[in-house]
Amino acid sequence: MQLAIEEALDGINKGHGGPFGSVIVRNGEIVGKGHNRVLKNNDPTCHGEVDAIRKACYNLDTFDLSDCELYTTGEPCHMCLCACMWANIKTIYYGCTIEDNARIGFRDEKFDGIFSGRDKLRNYMLELDREACLELFDKYLSMQHKSY
């Protein structure tokens, strides 16, 4: 998770987007990492998880990440959650919760209310290192940043 936090810090320090960094690991080896690049790319789909998935697929020359795990600083939105499922990622470890995402100005709760179903994924998505990720979110809140 520490590498996902570092990836997120890199992105927010460069003004690329929110404090969301992700790392994809296969057999203990990092195969892809990414961070939120919504502002940098003018692409509302370029969340940290999607960025990491794209890079892992490129690096492994496959669309199937079934033997991979994803570590991400914030609980994935529904778009990212579905992207992980389409990529066959076997487990997601997240730091901050959907409620924490809302605290820093993101609207994941809105979509969670529409689509729901997270309760069915408790063995697929596991909380990890929330306190460390909350520190990252607090840093983001203290910075001057563009809201979106």
Side-chain angles (χ1 to χ4, degrees):
M1 187 61 79
Q2 185 56 43
L3 294 174
I5 292 170
E6 291 171 17
E7 184 69 23
L9 281 169
D10 182 48
I12 62 173
N13 287 331
K14 292 177 178 174
H16 290 176
F20 304 104
S22 299
V23 175
I24 297 177
V25 176
R26 180 177 76 172
N27 300 324
E29 179 184 341
I30 295 171
V31 295
K33 58 184 180 173
H35 61 260
N36 185 295
R37 296 174 194 270
V38 168
L39 298 177
K40 179 182 186 289
N41 295 354
N42 289 315
D43 178 356
T45 69
C46 199
H47 294 191
E49 297 92 337
V50 171
D51 192 35
I53 288 169
R54 289 172 180 163
K55 289 175 180 169
C57 288
Y58 177 83
N59 291 337
L60 296 173
D61 193 29
T62 185
F63 55 86
D64 183 5
L65 303 178
S66 58
D67 53 352
C68 297
E69 299 170 321
L70 182 134
Y71 295 81
T72 188
T73 56
E75 187 173 355
C77 69
H78 278 274
M79 177 187 72
C80 292
L81 178 55
C82 289
C84 290
M85 295 171 93
W86 276 110
N88 296 315
I89 290 174
K90 68 179 178 181
T91 309
I92 298 170
Y93 297 96
Y94 64 91
C96 291
T97 66
I98 291 291
E99 293 79 16
D100 297 326
N101 295 351
R103 185 178 65 83
I104 62 168
F106 289 86
R107 55 195 168 125
D108 300 43
E109 283 183 321
K110 172 185 174 183
F111 299 105
D112 206 42
I114 294 169
F115 300 112
S116 67
R118 287 180 187 274
D119 57 320
K120 297 174 185 156
L121 301 172
R122 289 299 165 214
N123 292 327
Y124 182 61
M125 295 193 309
L126 305 168
E127 188 179 295
L128 177 71
D129 291 339
R130 181 170 178 244
E131 291 302 317
C133 291
L134 282 171
E135 289 178 25
L136 166 70
F137 278 26
D138 288 341
K139 180 177 174 85
Y140 175 75
L141 279 175
S142 73
M143 299 170 69
Q144 185 174 8
H145 59 272
K146 183 176 180 179
S147 295
Y148 56 96

